[in-house]
Amino acid sequence: MRQISAEEITNNVEKICIDANYNLGDDLIASLKNALEREESPLGKEVITQILENAEIGRKEKAPVCQDTGYAVVFIEIGQEVVLEGNSLQEAINEGIRRGYRKGFLRKSIVKDPLDRVNTGDNTPAVIHTDMVSGDKLKITFIAKGGGCENMSRTAMLTPAQGRDGVINFVVKTVKNAGANPCPPIIVGVGIGGTFEYASLLSKKAILRPVGSHNKDKAISSLEDELLEKINKLGIGPQGLGGRITTLAVHVETYPCHIASLPVAVNIECHSHRPKSIVI
Ligand code: SF4
């Protein structure tokens, strides 16, 4: 067995939530540069240029790339041979978020109660998803999820008869209805299968893949390509000002489902895509 202290988890969470908000990933930057070359609309080009300049300012000046520094969503993969020392895993993560958002001067965006709307003041609690895996390591993946793009995400329970075409129609309609609201160019995460809640989780996991990567299953990979083409034909364009590049990537993840169901979830991610991972 390997012992990992709660303090070590807290310190790492503190570090990666600041890093994620200041430094966009190399995969996203490469995808945006590629989009700049392919975009034909002058306004669209200007928007992507400004997004890239903004990313550079965030990196150089150690400043958040967007004023909405997001809901802290944390995925944990914990090895079966790990023993935690000290605080609970949940408290260790929340303390890291608390410290990171304070030290990094990141906006606190969480309200304690969805109806009374009083801010918790420290961006906690995080939404935490935990998976038990083999081994003696602990992997932490943090993503700062913006409210604007999360609000445009949708889940549907289709009938099996609606099939592949039904999935395509739902995904494209969801992006079309979102329009400029999720700050395009976006990344579209799609979860197909499982149950109502599991499809949504899959769609969020899908956006964590490297931007533009393909599902290993050829049929799903071809669905990703078809969705990418159809979404980019909508003409919404960067920041909704028109153009070819509405989405940088479509990532689809699937899971077995009930014979009577076809759950589909679309998690929309904005151009301020801020995931970071660390393995302890
Ligand atoms: S949707 Fe994304 S880019 Fe737009 S305001 Fe929210 S966090 Fe920022």
Side-chain angles (χ1 to χ4, degrees), residues 65-70 107 144-150 180-184 239 269-274:
V65 291
C66 183
Q67 44 76 33
D68 181 353
T69 52
R107 193 184 81 183
K145 195 66 175 70
C149 53
E150 192 74 351
N181 291 314
C183 298
Q239 285 295 16
E269 171 72 321
C270 61
H271 62 255
S272 291
H273 174 50
R274 294 154 292 178

